DNA sequence: GTTTGACCTGGATCC
DNA sequence: CTGACCAGGTCAAAA
């Protein structure tokens, strides 16, 4: 059964799903296959509507709506912020949305992402899901749900290495154990402010300032989170005149202060623009 | 508070 | 074809 969501603002699935915030969407014949609410489905844009078809499990419309953050008006954010480069990036990448992913999957994914690259990250996550996840089939595509903390704690370090995690395997294992043993629900942090959430995330092994800020902006709706990776750092130094010597934390704080309440969303546009058009 | 180097690993680049 | 090198960070050590 086909579901439709009428779009009020432009949505570009290619840009939203393949701009380095999510790692396991697959495109086939104009459909994008992947997981929302950890259930397998496919999506496409047609006639100003977002259409989707679920596999075995039904995904409610508001979950899909929320995944793409469709309640946030990007027009207003960028119109109200007078900055040349941001305006250019916005026009060039219009329709790219900052996603609201599952926080648990997001946390593990970005721990794995440390000092790596997108194809490798995707592959590692895929192997992990294939090993432990629930198998879904839709058309001729197969999808595996993202494993729970207790499932991951059942793995050995050598199994982690066989997925290509390298030294990040022990971080993933330890973080899963902490979450499992303390019955932590990351979704509780929807109700906490940015600073408290950040402080808590930093207690997990393998989570530094960059990874924590990724989890906050790409899953926990902290729109002023501001991950400073290599690309954003270059951007701040080359295009905004920051001193290269400034610490990463201070660069992050500068960004949050300069770009404001929605600095995380603006950051994602600038980050992607820098990577794509302006190395 | 900063700076430095080790850390897994697959793939691109350059001899 | 081998080997150093790099890539969307984190952590621990530093007389």
């Amino acid at each position: 059964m086909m579901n439709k969501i009428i779009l009020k603002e432009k949505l570009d699935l290619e840009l939203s799903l393949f701009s380095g915030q999510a790692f396991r969407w697959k495109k086939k014949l104009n459909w994008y296959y992947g997981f929302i609410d950890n259930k397998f489905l496919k999506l496409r844009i047609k006639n100003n509507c977002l259409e989707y078809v679920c596999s075995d499990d039904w995904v409610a419309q508001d979950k899909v709506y929320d995944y793409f953050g469709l309640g946030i008006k990007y027009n207003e954010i960028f119109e109200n912020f007078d900055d040349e480069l941001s305006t250019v990036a916005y026009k060039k990448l219009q329709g790219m949305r900052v996603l609201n992913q599952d926080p648990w999957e997001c946390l593990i994914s970005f721990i794995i992402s440390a000092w790596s690259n997108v194809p490798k990250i995707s592959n590692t996550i895929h192997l992990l899901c294939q090993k432990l996840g629930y198998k879904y089939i839709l058309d001729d595509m197969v999808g595996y749900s993202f494993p729970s903390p207790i499932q991951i704690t059942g793995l050995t370090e050598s199994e982690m290495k066989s997925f290509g995690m390298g030294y990040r395997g022990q971080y993933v294992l330890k973080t899963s154990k902490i979450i499992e043993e303390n019955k932590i629900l990351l979704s509780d942090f929807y109700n906490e402010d940015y600073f408290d959430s950040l402080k808590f995330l930093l207690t997990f092994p393998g989570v530094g300032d960059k990874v924590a800020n990724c989890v906050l902006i790409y899953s926990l709706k902290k729109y002023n989170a501001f991950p400073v990776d290599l690309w954003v750092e270059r951007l701040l130094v080359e295009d905004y005149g920051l001193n290269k010597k400034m610490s990463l934390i201070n660069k992050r704080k500068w960004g949050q202060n300069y770009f404001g309440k929605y600095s995380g969303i603006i950051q994602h546009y600038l980050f992607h623009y820098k990577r794509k058009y302006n190395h």
Side-chain angles (χ1 to χ4, degrees), chain A residues 8 22 32 41 96 107 137 146 155 163 180 184 196 198 211 242 275:
Chain A
K8 291 172 188 160
Y32 294 83
L41 47 62
M96 181 172 73
L107 174 65
I137 295 174
F146 196 84
L155 295 172
F163 302 147
E180 170 55 25
I184 293 163
D196 287 341
L198 174 66
V211 169
L242 265 61
R275 288 197 63 192

Side-chain angles (χ1 to χ4, degrees), chain A residues 14-173:
Chain A
E14 185 76 22
L15 284 173
S16 301
L17 302 174
F18 296 106
S19 52
Q21 43 179 338
F23 300 101
R24 53 200 203 105
W25 286 90
K26 289 204 173 80
K27 187 181 184 183
K28 193 174 180 192
L29 299 173
N30 267 359
W31 286 97
Y32 294 83
Y33 292 79
F35 285 80
I36 292 179
D37 200 25
N38 218 12
K39 292 159 190 157
F40 198 44
L41 47 62
K42 63 177 178 180
L43 309 158
R44 72 175 175 190
I45 304 286
K46 201 174 181 185
N47 302 327
N48 208 34
C49 287
L50 171 59
E51 300 181 342
Y52 71 96
V53 177
C54 304
S55 177
D56 314 13
D57 294 323
W58 161 257
V59 182
Q61 289 214 1
D62 59 324
K63 296 277 185 188
V64 177
Y65 186 91
D66 190 58
Y67 185 80
F68 290 100
L70 295 177
I72 304 233
K73 292 175 179 158
Y74 283 35
N75 276 330
E76 289 180 7
I77 294 174
F78 285 90
E79 271 169 23
N80 290 331
F81 183 65
D82 186 23
D83 176 79
E84 203 184 323
L85 194 53
S86 304
T87 304
V88 171
Y90 178 61
K91 284 185 179 156
K92 198 88 179 172
L93 300 171
Q94 213 147 32
M96 181 172 73
R97 311 288 303 187
V98 168
L99 305 174
N100 296 131
Q101 305 178 63
D102 173 65
W104 158 246
E105 173 174 345
C106 195
L107 174 65
I108 296 302
S109 299
F110 279 97
I111 290 176
I112 292 169
S113 79
W115 206 242
S116 187
N117 53 64
V118 176
K120 213 174 131 182
I121 299 162
S122 296
N123 187 245
T124 297
I125 297 172
H126 170 71
L127 291 173
L128 179 69
C129 293
Q130 185 175 244
K131 172 83 179 176
L132 297 172
Y134 175 78
K135 185 176 182 180
Y136 285 94
I137 295 174
L138 179 56
D139 305 328
D140 57 345
M141 297 289 276
V142 179
Y144 297 90
S145 63
F146 196 84
S148 63
I150 193 164
Q151 283 181 295
I152 293 183
T153 57
L155 295 172
T156 63
E157 272 198 45
S158 68
E159 280 175 307
M160 299 301 257
K161 288 210 168 172
S162 73
F163 302 147
M165 295 220 190
Y167 62 87
R168 306 164 198 85
Q170 51 173 322
Y171 295 150
V172 172
L173 221 42

Side-chain angles (χ1 to χ4, degrees), chain A residues 2-15:
Chain A
M2 171 92 76
N3 298 274
K4 285 186 184 182
I5 295 173
I6 298 170
L7 297 167
K8 291 172 188 160
E9 240 182 290
K10 188 180 172 188
L11 169 59
D12 187 315
L13 291 176
E14 185 76 22
L15 284 173

Side-chain angles (χ1 to χ4, degrees), chain A residues 189 192-202 216 222:
Chain A
F189 287 91
E192 300 291 330
D193 69 15
Y194 167 78
F195 192 73
D196 287 341
S197 310
L198 174 66
K199 221 164 93 180
F200 188 76
L201 287 173
L202 290 174
L216 291 168
K222 307 299 184 234

